[in-house]
Amino acid sequence: MDSSMSTKKKTKLSVRNQTCFKKSSLSSSSTAKKTTNLSMREQTMFKKALELSTLCNIDVCVIYYGRDGKLIKTWPEDQSKVRDMAERFSRLHERERCKKRTNLSLFLRKKILDDTKLSEKVLEMEDSLESGLRVLQDKLLLLQPEKNQTEFGQTRAVSSTTNPLSPPPSLIEDHRHQQWTEPLMSGVSNTEQDLSTSSLSQNQSRISVFLYNHDNRSFYQVPDSVSSFDQSALLGEQGSGLGSNFDLPPMVFPPQMQTQTPLVPFDQFAAWNQAPSFADPMMFPYN
Amino acid sequence: MRFVPYLYEIERLWLSLVNYLSPRKNKNRRCGEIDKIRMVKKGGTKRKIAIETIQKSDYLRVTCTKRREGLFSKASQLCLLSDAQIAILATPPTSESNISFYSFGHSSVDAVVSSFLSGQRCVPLQEDTKEMREDVAICLSRTNLGLGFWWNNESLNKSENPQEISDAINSMLTLLSNLKELSGEEALVNDHKDLKKNERSDVVLQHGTQYETLNPNSNTTTICCVPDELPANSNEIVGISPNPLIMLEKKKSQIEEKFEKEWQVSVTRIENEATSSYAKRRRSI
C-alpha cells in the first residue's frame, strides 16, 4: 500500500509538472506557473472535500484565507451552511473542541513519524544544518573582526598624533652633535678614541632622550641617573673642544651653555623638554 | 500484425462477460445495482469508485478515516506552499461518537473560525515566524514539497547584517536540538517495536524445552534495557503523546510478571531436586 501510494504521489506530481511546463512555455512567467499550480491544488482540496462528504454522508466545511488575510473561498459555496457549522463549532466547550483537533505542526509531525525513510531524511537535514551553521558562524566572525580593524585604525591614528611630539628634541640634539663632532675631526690620535667615545655618547644621549620622554610622562627617576652620566661625558668633551679651538668665534656661545648647565643641569633639561616657551629665550641670543 | 486488435477485443469482451456473470466476486464494487456495471478500462485493473454514499458501515468508517487524513494532507501542503490559512471541520460518520468535530487548522482552527464568524480579515502570517523556522516537521515537509531549507536561502547567504545572521544561528542551533529530540523519539518507537519482537521470540522459546534455562536471561536483559533508556529519553523529549509511554509501561509490567513466574518455577524445581537428592542420601546411609 505504501509503495502504491508513493507511486501515485510521484505520478501526480510529474503530471502537474508537465502541465505547468506547457503553460509556462505559453506565458513564460514564474508567477503564472505558481498561480496555476496553486489553483489546481485548491481545486483538488475542494474536490476531495466533496468526495468525503458524499461518500461518508457527513458534513464537511473548508474555510480558505489567502496569505494577505482575505477570504478566498469556502466549501460549500453557500456561506450560510459554513456559518452554521462554524457557529456549532464555536458554541462547543473547550474540551470538546480540543478533541481530534490538529495543527499544521502536530499533523506534519505525526505524518513524518509514520514515514519509513525518516532516519535518512533526518541525517540529510542534520548534515545540511551543520554545514550551514558553520558557514554562517564563519561569516559572523568575519563581520566582527572588521570592528576590531577599525579599532586598530583608531590606535594608529593615536600613535600618529604622538609622532610630532618627538621630532623637535631630536632636531635640537642633532644640532648639538654637529657642533661637537667638527672639533673632534681636527684632533690627533687621541681624537680617534674621542670619536669612538663620542659615537657611544651619541647613542647614549639618544637613548637618554627617549627615556626623558617616558620620564616626563611616567615620572621615573632611574632614567635621571642615566642622563646624569651622559651629561658628565658631554661636559668632558666640551672642555677638550674648547682647548683645541679657542680662537674660533662661534665657540663664544658654548661657554654660556657651560656656565648655565652646571648650575641646575637636571632642571634645565626638564624645563627644556617640558616648556617650549622657556626654551625660546635660549634661542634668542643665537639670533 | 492484423490479428493483434482482434485478440485485444476478444480479451476485453471476455473480461466484461466474466464481470457480468459474477458481480459478487468483484470486491472493489460497492454498489449493489447490476445496471451500473462498468466496462473494463484500458490499461490496468485499478479503477475509481463511484462517488456515492457507502452503505456498509465498516467500509464507510474506514473510508471516512482515510479520506479525512488525505484531505488534511492536501490542506497542509497548500498551507506550506502559499502561506494560506485554512480551517477544515468535519463531523464524525456516526452520531453515536463522543467526538463532535474532526478539525484541522493553520494558523489555528479557533482563529480562522472566529475571524470568519466576525466577517473580518485574518491576521496575515509572518513569512519567517520563529515557530515555523524551528519546527523540524515543517522543515522536512517543505523539503518533500520541493522547497529548500530556509538556511540555504540566497538572501540569507548574501546578507551582511550581523543581527540577522546571529538570529539565524540561534534558530539553527534550536532546530538541531529539536532534530536530536526527534531522533530520540524515533528510537523510542523502534524500541517499542523491538519489545514486541522480543515478546514474540519469548513465546516461541517457551514451546521449546531445550531453551527453558535461557528464558530468565532473556527476560532479565529485556527488563534491564527498558529502565536505562526510558528516563534519558523522557528527559530529552518534551512533547510526546502519552499512548506509547502507557503501552511501554504495560509491556514492562507484563514482562515483570513473566519473570516472576519463571523465577517461581525455577525455585520450585530447585527445591524438588534438593529434596530428591536428600532422600537418595538417606537411603544410601
Side-chain angles (χ1 to χ4, degrees), chain A residues 8, chain B residues 15-16 19 23 26-30 36-50 67:
Chain A
K8 284 183 179 178
Chain B
L15 286 172
S16 64
N19 284 325
N26 190 359
K27 293 182 180 179
N28 289 328
R29 286 183 64 254
R30 297 173 183 177
K36 294 189 176 180
I37 293 167
R38 292 181 178 180
M39 301 298 289
V40 177
K41 286 186 179 179
K42 299 178 182 178
T45 57
K46 291 181 180 178
R47 66 196 68 183
K48 291 186 177 179
I49 62 171
R67 280 182 177 264

Side-chain angles (χ1 to χ4, degrees), chain A residues 174-210:
Chain A
D174 291 336
H175 287 292
R176 288 184 179 180
H177 289 296
Q178 287 178 359
Q179 290 175 0
W180 294 331
T181 52
E182 288 176 357
L184 292 173
M185 292 293 289
S186 63
V188 193
S189 65
N190 291 325
T191 59
E192 291 179 356
Q193 293 178 356
D194 292 331
L195 281 171
S196 65
T197 55
S198 66
S199 66
L200 289 172
S201 65
Q202 287 178 359
N203 291 326
Q204 290 178 358
S205 65
R206 289 178 182 176
I207 292 165
S208 66
V209 167
F210 288 106

Side-chain angles (χ1 to χ4, degrees), chain A residues 61-285:
Chain A
C61 79
V62 179
I63 302 166
Y64 177 46
Y65 281 88
R67 68 170 65 194
D68 56 353
K70 287 184 180 177
L71 180 66
I72 292 178
K73 203 172 186 182
T74 59
W75 192 90
E77 296 288 342
D78 187 2
Q79 289 198 4
S80 63
K81 292 181 181 178
V82 178
R83 187 170 295 274
D84 289 341
M85 203 161 177
E87 284 176 358
R88 249 197 293 162
F89 179 80
S90 63
R91 208 175 293 138
L92 291 174
H93 192 60
E94 186 64 22
R95 290 179 188 173
E96 291 290 325
R97 285 192 215 173
C98 289
K99 289 181 180 178
K100 295 296 178 182
R101 181 177 71 179
T102 59
N103 197 0
L104 181 67
S105 175
L106 296 174
F107 182 78
L108 291 176
R109 191 182 187 87
K110 182 180 178 184
K111 193 177 175 185
I112 274 173
L113 286 173
D114 291 336
D115 193 353
T116 54
K117 297 180 180 177
L118 176 60
S119 60
E120 295 176 3
K121 290 176 181 176
V122 165
L123 287 177
E124 287 179 4
M125 184 172 167
E126 196 165 352
D127 292 340
S128 175
L129 191 58
E130 286 178 354
S131 64
L133 193 62
R134 281 192 218 102
V135 168
L136 287 180
Q137 283 178 347
D138 292 340
K139 195 169 187 180
L140 193 62
L141 289 175
L142 286 176
L143 288 175
Q144 284 178 351
E146 288 179 0
K147 295 180 180 178
N148 293 328
Q149 288 176 0
T150 56
E151 291 177 357
F152 292 156
Q154 290 176 357
T155 55
R156 289 177 183 176
V158 171
S159 64
S160 66
T161 55
T162 57
N163 286 327
L165 295 176
S166 61
S170 64
L171 292 173
I172 295 163
E173 293 294 332
D174 291 336
H175 287 292
R176 288 184 179 180
H177 289 296
Q178 287 178 359
Q179 290 175 0
W180 294 331
T181 52
E182 288 176 357
L184 292 173
M185 292 293 289
S186 63
V188 193
S189 65
N190 291 325
T191 59
E192 291 179 356
Q193 293 178 356
D194 292 331
L195 281 171
S196 65
T197 55
S198 66
S199 66
L200 289 172
S201 65
Q202 287 178 359
N203 291 326
Q204 290 178 358
S205 65
R206 289 178 182 176
I207 292 165
S208 66
V209 167
F210 288 106
L211 286 170
Y212 272 119
N213 290 324
H214 289 285
D215 186 14
N216 291 325
R217 294 172 187 172
S218 62
F219 298 101
Y220 289 151
Q221 293 180 357
V222 174
D224 298 340
S225 63
V226 172
S227 63
S228 64
F229 284 112
D230 292 334
Q231 288 174 5
S232 63
L234 292 171
L235 289 171
E237 290 176 357
Q238 288 176 359
S240 65
L242 288 171
S244 64
N245 298 321
F246 182 77
D247 294 334
L248 291 174
M251 298 307 293
V252 174
F253 295 100
Q256 293 178 359
M257 293 178 72
Q258 285 182 356
T259 55
Q260 290 176 357
T261 51
L263 293 174
V264 187
F266 175 71
D267 292 337
Q268 183 180 1
F269 278 101
W272 182 276
N273 289 319
Q274 288 180 354
S277 62
F278 204 75
D280 290 339
M282 296 295 292
M283 298 299 291
F284 285 124

